[in-house]
Amino acid sequence: MFKPNFSLTLRHAALALALSGLAGLATAQTMHVELNTASLGSSGFLDLQFNPANTPAAFASATISHLSGFGDLSGVGLTGDVQQSAGGFAFGNTTDYNDLFQALSFGGKVSFDVTFGGLADPSPAAIPSKFAVSFYGADGMTVLGNAEPDGSLMSLSWQPTAGAGALSLAITDQTIANVSAVPEPSAWAMLGAGLALVGYARRRKLAA
């Protein structure tokens, strides 16, 4: 007669829950960007852009927060659909060119979180908007690093499709740019619950 192993079943269920939490990290809409400026000289400019591939496009936004290493923001240059907000900046894609230009002292690390949102576009031809990062020399014109023809060292393209939306990442200079997913609170909660169940199942097995 078959006797179900409830302890094993519980462990499998807990593991599946934990893995589903990890899977949620890949679809997170918030990304952490870290930029190492040690190889760029002494000073220059950081350039952040969020522009639609074509217009008109469904409204999309890119909000940067948890800024570190940005220096004095009093002289930051904002062009197009960009607004300074509490603790960061909010980009929209309502114009062709939306830009943040900030003077920096190089040598350390610059980091921030970028959160994408907007109105879902369910059409197969949904127009993406690209969030791009570039560095320029002290003259404000010389492109630094191993950049794309448009000057970007890394970019995140946001496709506002129905549901969670879709992100695609391109990093041209990995010695400068590093990007990682920031899990949403629900993903952390699911992962924590899964790991707690794994621990509970383990303790039951040891006590048996």
Side-chain angles (χ1 to χ4, degrees):
M1 178 180 177
F2 173 73
K3 182 178 180 180
N5 187 332
F6 290 106
S7 177
L8 183 60
T9 302
L10 181 61
R11 288 202 301 275
H12 284 170
L15 182 59
L17 185 60
L19 290 176
S20 67
L22 285 172
L25 304 187
T27 58
Q29 297 178 35
T30 299
M31 308 296 287
H32 180 70
V33 178
E34 186 172 278
L35 307 167
N36 188 345
T37 68
S39 64
L40 300 180
S42 59
S43 64
F45 293 87
L46 169 67
D47 185 58
L48 304 179
Q49 296 185 28
F50 185 62
N51 301 321
N54 292 294
T55 55
F59 176 73
S61 64
T63 303
I64 63 171
S65 59
H66 302 102
L67 280 60
S68 176
F70 272 66
D72 182 9
L73 294 174
S74 62
V76 64
L78 303 178
T79 303
D81 190 0
V82 191
Q83 302 290 330
Q84 187 164 4
S85 59
F89 295 87
F91 292 74
N93 68 339
T94 60
T95 69
D96 291 336
Y97 184 69
N98 311 293
D99 182 84
L100 179 156
F101 205 65
Q102 166 69 4
L104 286 180
S105 295
F106 295 152
K109 290 186 176 181
V110 176
S111 65
F112 56 89
D113 292 345
V114 54
T115 301
F116 296 93
L119 301 177
D121 185 348
S123 67
I127 297 173
S129 294
K130 185 169 79 170
F131 180 84
V133 176
S134 307
F135 282 107
Y136 292 88
D139 60 0
M141 299 180 63
T142 303
V143 177
L144 302 180
N146 180 25
E148 292 282 357
D150 65 1
S152 63
L153 299 171
M154 63 139 290
S155 63
L156 286 159
S157 291
W158 170 243
Q159 188 92 358
T161 53
L167 277 174
S168 59
L169 169 65
I171 299 180
T172 307
D173 196 331
Q174 296 186 0
T175 65
I176 295 177
N178 181 61
V179 181
S180 57
V182 177
E184 296 179 353
S186 59
W188 277 121
M190 186 176 293
L191 179 59
L195 294 176
L197 284 172
V198 170
Y200 173 73
R202 178 66 176 168
R203 286 195 299 272
R204 285 198 56 177
K205 182 179 179 181
L206 293 175

